Amino acid sequence: MDARSDGDFARFVADRTTALLRAAHALTGNQHAAEDLVQGALAKAMLRWRHIADDPEAYVRRILYHDHISGWRRRRRRPETPMAAVPEAATADGTDEAHLRMLLREALLELPPRQRAVIVLRYLEDLSEREVAQILDCREGTVASQASRALAKLRRLVPPQAVEAWR
Amino acid sequence: MTEDLDRLVRDTVVELAAEAQPRDLLASVQARARRIRVVRGIGYLCAALVAAVSLAVPFLAVHRDRALPPATVDPTGTPSPSHRPTIVPVADLGAPVVLPRGWVVTAAVQAGPDTGDSYVLDRATHRYLRVGYPTAWPAPTGSLVAVTRPDGTGLGLLDLATAAVRWVLQQPATNPQWSPDGNRLLVTLSPDAFAVVDPGTGRVSTHTIDRSAYRCDDACGFSWYPDSRQVVLALTDTSVPHRDAWPDVQRGLQLFDAATGAPGALLPVHGTVAHAGDWSPDRRTVLVTGTAADGTGGRHAEYQLVDTATGQVRGPYPAQPASSWWVDDQQLLSIPARLRVCATDRAGAAGACATLPADFTELAIVIAPS
């Protein structure tokens, strides 16, 4: 990259890193994995900067979500729970409100990566099914079915008594 | 329920996103881009490397069930200057929050991985103190409080009488639980390892269980059995095929000797237990998160009272095991709605209730007999 492109890229990173980290944290559930995901997407963007400079945000978001999904495929279907992430919600004493949030959080992080990506794009980024389909390179019907399956799973994992109590 | 779930999912996703810490990633991104360039440039070497790695892998493979490294113990037991506690009396919480049946709130702590302070009842002064740790679990009696560092990488014992913290573990430890007799502290190190701390000496005993025989895949927190001599872990029933869309089924509650880690009885209870307070005083009934058929051939999670001898489900219960405590063989204290603690019978019918102060909103509470 020339000096001008360098400057443009540095400004883009400075402007957009926080927003990208938020999305990545919602996808991964932890800071380290989120930083790794964002770094990877931005590094690929840097290498293609000349070609994507018109709309780098769209490119980086696509890479972010696709890397999240494909990265997961390379791992075991059921990874061991890391020590720092032993689910406290199911075991600590506390209010229903606080624990319901933790239950949902655990359930969200157990969703298959494509379903989690759809949930984050729909609920965090407030994108339409069409926009989500464009980012994930799939049909709108697939987005709808993935979202439906994700919500069905969350409904099963979180006892109905918990949701009733929180109303 | 659909609308409620929709709203809760949105709130939870937004909350997860908000936990991201801002970082300046430019330098690391540039370094990573350089590495990608280099890797692309030497791509032709990959075939040779693959062949070499294929030969080496059998010798490099690490045994999956290797024992954890021994717990790191601070032998001096001295307070760490980098984690000096901030302890501030809370002006508008000058008296214990009294619950039905004479119980009191002894702490209110951060329920998630959030950083923030906790409230702890100082039994000597009958006042709540705000302490600068996200997790603060007071012992059933006395002035000791188990605390964790905000990043979860250490377990300490805060003595409210002296305001000193003794760090006894220097590794990630979750779910601290005092034994019902208050003599020892249990922490979960991983889904197959736990540690027991003697608060008097600071001595830590670490035990790793045989995961091939005692496998836990979900909600793998160790908790005390009411006898204060054994700990409990819910084992996953691996004969039931795992389906991403359904909660796993538990094979039973496995007991382990807290002093030696030796396995004991397997109770035929198909659910996960949260803490020692989920066992009725006569130990014949336990409140768990189990599973129930959903009417479409699948299953969903359900809070249940279960007979500990037979495993028979006596019925669903309306509140979470994590926020319920038996007060006698017929009644529990539980939280059926936000900021409400009620005495309930086995069917979940509420009797006397107490309202928690707004200071405890979104915090997990710890309760004990006064």
Side-chain angles (χ1 to χ4, degrees):
Chain A
M1 285 201 291
D2 56 29
R4 183 177 169 185
S5 296
D6 272 343
D8 289 346
F9 179 72
R11 270 191 296 280
F12 175 75
V13 172
D15 288 346
R16 302 308 304 155
T17 294
T18 299
L20 292 168
L21 278 173
R22 282 170 52 83
H25 201 283
L27 287 170
T28 62
N30 79 72
Q31 179 75 19
H32 179 76
E35 288 180 24
D36 189 56
L37 199 57
V38 173
Q39 275 179 23
L42 287 173
K44 289 173 186 173
M46 181 178 161
L47 295 173
R48 289 187 55 80
W49 188 251
R50 273 188 306 169
H51 307 286
I52 63 166
D54 287 345
D55 191 3
E57 176 93 15
Y59 176 85
V60 170
R61 285 202 177 272
R62 279 172 61 86
I63 295 294
L64 188 84
Y65 283 94
H66 280 264
D67 279 1
H68 162 69
I69 293 169
S70 58
W72 183 272
R73 284 199 195 108
R74 289 194 291 270
R75 292 174 215 135
R76 305 196 285 136
R77 182 179 66 84
R78 185 182 234 166
E80 282 188 44
T81 309
M83 289 201 306
V86 172
E88 291 181 62
T91 49
D93 299 339
T95 64
D96 269 19
E97 185 179 332
H99 284 289
L100 179 56
R101 291 203 319 274
M102 286 301 288
L103 274 177
L104 261 176
R105 178 193 182 91
E106 286 174 21
L108 272 170
L109 294 175
E110 282 191 11
L111 290 176
R114 186 178 291 275
Q115 288 180 17
R116 204 184 318 160
V118 168
I119 292 290
V120 172
L121 286 163
R122 293 281 284 143
Y123 287 87
L124 179 69
E125 314 240 19
D126 272 330
L127 298 186
S128 67
E129 287 182 356
R130 172 173 293 186
E131 291 167 320
V132 174
Q134 285 170 350
I135 287 180
L136 298 183
D137 284 335
C138 63
R139 297 177 183 170
E140 286 181 50
T142 306
V143 172
S145 67
Q146 293 283 317
S148 170
R149 283 183 199 166
L151 290 173
K153 181 182 180 185
L154 295 176
R155 208 172 285 123
R156 288 192 180 104
L157 291 181
V158 178
Q161 301 117 304
V163 178
E164 290 298 317
W166 205 64
R167 297 179 81 164
Chain B
M1 176 171 163
T2 301
E3 282 180 16
D4 291 326
L5 186 68
D6 215 49
R7 178 173 52 83
L8 286 168
V9 169
R10 186 177 298 277
D11 289 350
T12 306
V13 172
V14 170
E15 186 181 85
L16 262 172
E19 286 167 14
Q21 302 292 314
R23 291 281 190 274
D24 180 0
L25 296 181
L26 182 60
S28 54
V29 166
Q30 290 168 329
R32 190 150 167 175
R34 281 195 293 273
R35 281 201 303 275
I36 293 173
R37 267 200 206 104
V38 169
V39 168
R40 286 176 182 169
I42 61 171
Y44 68 90
L45 284 175
C46 288
L49 280 173
V50 166
V53 169
S54 301
L55 292 171
V57 160
F59 304 100
L60 296 174
V62 178
H63 195 279
R64 199 163 145 262
D65 291 327
R66 69 190 185 282
L68 286 173
T72 312
V73 181
D74 177 2
T76 63
T78 51
S80 164
S82 61
H83 291 281
R84 292 202 73 80
T86 53
I87 301 179
V88 183
V90 184
D92 53 351
L93 286 174
V97 176
V98 179
L99 306 174
R101 306 295 301 270
W103 285 44
V104 294
V105 176
T106 58
V109 305
Q110 303 291 333
D114 313 329
T115 55
D117 295 346
S118 298
Y119 297 95
V120 178
L121 176 65
D122 183 351
R123 288 177 181 272
T125 62
H126 304 289
R127 301 177 68 179
Y128 287 95
L129 306 172
R130 203 173 74 232
V131 299
Y133 299 99
T135 307
W137 300 88
T141 58
S143 58
L144 287 182
V145 179
V147 297
T148 58
R149 289 195 176 106
D151 61 2
T153 59
L155 177 78
L157 293 169
L158 163 65
D159 190 340
L160 293 179
T162 62
V165 179
R166 193 163 37 124
W167 292 98
V168 293
L169 264 177
Q170 308 284 353
Q171 66 186 80
T174 60
N175 196 30
Q177 300 200 355
W178 289 93
S179 58
D181 64 10
N183 289 334
R184 279 173 298 175
L185 182 63
L186 168 71
V187 289
T188 297
L189 301 177
S190 76
D192 52 8
F194 66 93
V196 176
V197 180
D198 179 336
T201 63
R203 183 173 175 274
V204 180
S205 309
T206 303
H207 304 287
T208 302
I209 63 173
D210 178 1
R211 185 173 157 81
S212 63
Y214 306 102
R215 177 170 173 155
C216 174
D217 286 329
D218 285 329
C220 303
F222 290 86
S223 63
W224 285 101
Y225 187 63
D227 66 0
S228 294
R229 292 188 291 110
Q230 300 178 90
V231 300
V232 183
L233 180 68
L235 304 186
T236 302
D237 188 344
T238 52
S239 70
V240 179
H242 172 77
R243 291 278 298 272
D244 275 341
W246 301 343
D248 284 338
V249 174
Q250 312 303 327
R251 180 155 67 96
L253 294 177
Q254 177 66 48
L255 304 185
F256 296 93
D257 189 298
T260 66
L266 175 66
L267 305 180
V269 175
H270 307 296
T272 58
V273 63
H275 57 94
D278 286 331
W279 300 79
S280 64
D282 64 9
R283 301 180 200 169
R284 290 181 179 172
T285 310
V286 63
L287 173 60
V288 299
T289 303
T291 58
D294 67 1
T296 63
R299 56 182 179 268
H300 64 83
E302 182 179 75
Y303 306 135
Q304 300 167 337
L305 294 178
V306 179
D307 184 303
T308 57
T310 65
Q312 183 185 3
V313 176
R314 291 183 165 168
Y317 185 73
Q320 298 182 48
S323 55
S324 300
W325 300 260
W326 289 85
V327 291
D328 60 35
D329 290 334
Q330 301 304 323
Q331 283 206 315
L332 300 91
L333 283 175
S334 62
I335 303 176
R338 63 174 69 187
L339 294 178
R340 295 274 287 170
V341 178
C342 296
T344 66
D345 63 17
R346 286 167 173 261
C353 294
T355 300
L356 298 173
D359 305 68
F360 295 167
T361 301
E362 298 194 353
L363 297 179
I365 63 163
V366 184
I367 70 174
S370 60

